[in-house]
Amino acid sequence: MLRLLTAGESHGKTLLAVIDGFPAGLKVDTAFIDRELQRRQGGYGRGGRQKLETDTVDVLTGVWQGVTLGGPVTLGVVNRDYKLERLKEVERPRPGHGDLTGAIKYLGSIRGILERASARETAVRVAAGALARQLLAEFGIQVFGYVTQLEQIPATAREGTLEELRALRDASPMYTLDPEADAKMVARVDQATADGDTLGGIVEVQVYNLPFGLGSHAQWDLKLDGRIAQAVMSIQAIKGVEIGMGFEAARRPGTRVHDEIAYDPELAHLPSLGYVRKTNNAGGLEAGMTNGQPLVVRAAKKPISTLRKPLASINLGTKEPETAAYERSDVCALAAASVIVENVVAFTVAEAFLEKFGSDSLTEIKDRHAGFLKLARER
Ligand SMILES: Cc1cc2nc3c(=O)[nH]c(=O)nc-3n(C[C@H](O)[C@H](O)[C@H](O)COP(=O)(O)O)c2cc1C
């Protein structure tokens, strides 16, 4: 069973991810993990902190001579602006953050809550996902995320090979596939910055070349749609998750929702095994199991709650009205959210992949994967 725990505070010494159940025999490319960490720090609209730090991964356990051992893998990302001990208590809780609720729940300080609630924690979730992606890549599985909407501004997705789309996204300041939308989005972020306001939006992640049958129809907590929703919803500031057509399916009759099934023996060599769908409104999941089509997940991110033009709050000591606290913050972290959702989805898919094909060694997993594909083609 693949499991992940993270530890660390936003301004603490370090962030850690402990990954248990990761198979032996994978050659780890730390430069790939670093690239994902740096993409997480990028995107138009980030605050000063992201410019201060260049995150890199430190592989602390579970790897020998660059290859995983089968024991727990620990990944660290050091906070270069460590200053937790010097930071003061916050007195004015921010609406939309965990400040008030956490201080009441733990009968303690707001600082003690915000330091852990912060999305800085996602640095190591991205690192763990970037490791999981290297495992998935051994089986041709590719994960790709991008921004589809900023506030009211939609970005149109393009057709193209994955390499072309990646190049387009990586050239975009907002991680979209639509240079025209980028110009409008950048202007909107500038406006929000001038207004002391913040912005959210929607990101989409697709996973290609998944085999049939990851997840399960048999038990509620094993259904992959539910597990993806939980993992993505747990990302800071994500307030909605859709699979495939999502909410739009509720507005249509069944004839315009479900993906009709055909078979083309010429395509039997592909992960879809030759089962062809003209549409993919189910987003690659039926009854909690992957169905050979690309997985499509969308997530809605709310605007950041630390506002330079603060909302009304109180002083938690005096209970008198005051405006909410402000400390250096992002205006828009939507591009970063696309990287986080991409890697969180990858980790969840890798969990389900290892459940189906075993998790001791890469060699055994490859054998079982090939054996399953052979049997499935004969079905
Ligand atoms: C990439 C990313 C960066 C974020 N940066 C900030 C930030 O600078 N300031 C802030 O107040 N919230 C930021 N957030 C959101 C908060 O962490 C989040 O709203 C808060 O922890 C409350 O959790 P909830 O929104 O999930 O309920 C960020 C979220 C993400 C995904």
Side-chain angles (χ1 to χ4, degrees):
M1 197 169 92
L2 188 64
R3 293 182 295 172
L4 170 66
L5 280 179
T6 70
E9 289 76 35
S10 181
H11 298 94
K13 287 184 181 158
T14 194
L15 294 149
L16 291 171
V18 179
I19 304 156
D20 193 40
F22 200 86
L26 183 82
K27 196 167 184 327
V28 179
D29 178 359
T30 53
F32 176 76
I33 301 175
D34 287 346
R35 274 199 298 280
E36 290 301 288
L37 289 174
Q38 280 145 36
R39 283 202 319 115
R40 195 198 74 94
Q41 293 187 285
Y44 199 73
R46 303 307 300 278
R49 178 163 192 200
Q50 302 309 320
K51 292 177 195 121
L52 283 180
E53 299 204 4
T54 302
D55 286 339
T56 52
V57 71
D58 199 1
V59 180
L60 296 167
T61 71
V63 174
W64 181 54
Q65 297 185 344
V67 178
T68 55
L69 292 170
V73 177
T74 309
L75 304 178
V77 175
V78 167
N79 282 326
R80 294 188 206 281
D81 72 341
Y82 162 61
K83 57 182 173 189
L84 185 55
E85 296 307 326
R86 284 182 282 121
L87 287 174
K88 290 201 193 79
E89 170 58 330
V90 176
E91 297 293 350
R92 298 166 291 143
R94 294 160 298 172
H97 227 290
D99 303 353
L100 174 63
T101 311
I104 301 292
K105 175 175 164 64
Y106 287 90
L107 310 176
S109 76
I110 291 178
R111 172 67 62 195
I113 300 305
L114 74 86
E115 283 290 325
R116 180 64 188 156
S118 160
R120 179 76 187 132
E121 178 263 349
T122 60
V124 281
R125 274 204 268 177
V126 165
L131 177 70
R133 284 168 76 165
Q134 295 176 41
L135 177 71
L136 295 174
E138 292 282 326
F139 301 88
I141 299 168
Q142 299 285 337
V143 190
F144 180 61
Y146 50 95
V147 167
T148 62
Q149 184 155 335
L150 172 97
E151 197 192 31
Q152 306 285 336
I153 307 168
T156 313
R158 302 285 147 108
E159 298 286 311
T161 65
L162 193 50
E163 285 63 39
E164 288 165 351
L165 297 183
R166 234 182 226 134
L168 199 57
R169 179 201 65 189
D170 292 346
S172 159
M174 291 300 302
Y175 299 4
T176 76
L177 303 176
D178 184 347
E180 281 164 35
D182 282 346
K184 292 182 200 152
M185 289 179 178
V186 165
R188 182 67 190 101
V189 171
D190 288 343
Q191 181 66 54
T193 307
D195 295 345
D197 217 333
T198 57
L199 299 169
I202 300 174
V203 306
E204 181 166 301
V205 169
Q206 304 216 4
V207 187
Y208 308 102
N209 298 326
L210 286 168
F212 269 83
L214 304 189
S216 174
H217 69 298
Q219 197 56 265
W220 68 271
D221 59 342
L222 300 179
K223 289 175 187 257
L224 191 54
D225 46 3
R227 291 163 66 179
I228 287 171
Q230 197 276 330
V232 174
M233 191 66 106
S234 77
I235 297 169
Q236 289 81 345
I238 297 298
K239 294 296 148 191
V241 182
E242 290 186 321
I243 307 264
M245 192 177 258
F247 273 59
E248 176 59 21
R251 300 184 195 106
R252 296 188 183 196
T255 47
R256 291 182 50 227
V257 170
H258 302 298
D259 309 311
E260 290 184 308
I261 303 171
Y263 182 72
D264 180 352
E266 302 278 305
L267 303 177
H269 61 286
L270 297 175
S272 64
L273 306 176
Y275 298 97
V276 180
R277 310 285 186 117
K278 283 201 202 88
T279 54
N280 183 26
N281 295 333
L285 281 168
E286 287 168 313
M289 299 173 282
T290 52
N291 67 0
Q293 303 299 310
L295 178 63
V296 182
V297 182
R298 268 185 305 284
K301 183 180 177 299
K302 76 180 187 186
I304 277 160
S305 48
T306 307
L307 298 165
R308 205 165 42 73
K309 194 174 76 186
L311 296 171
S313 183
I314 52 149
N315 183 305
L316 201 50
T318 65
K319 312 287 191 272
E320 292 296 321
E322 284 186 33
T323 54
Y326 176 77
E327 60 183 59
R328 193 177 51 189
S329 193
D330 298 324
V331 170
C332 176
L334 186 60
S338 76
V339 182
I340 299 163
V341 177
E342 186 173 327
N343 285 288
V344 162
V345 167
F347 193 88
T348 309
V349 165
E351 275 171 18
F353 189 89
L354 295 181
E355 276 160 26
K356 179 138 183 67
F357 299 113
S359 61
D360 284 345
S361 73
L362 187 58
T363 309
E364 185 188 353
I365 299 166
K366 282 192 170 166
D367 205 42
R368 289 174 58 168
H369 178 256
F372 171 71
L373 290 185
K374 180 172 173 294
L375 292 170
R377 281 194 190 99
E378 290 162 8
R379 165 68 178 85

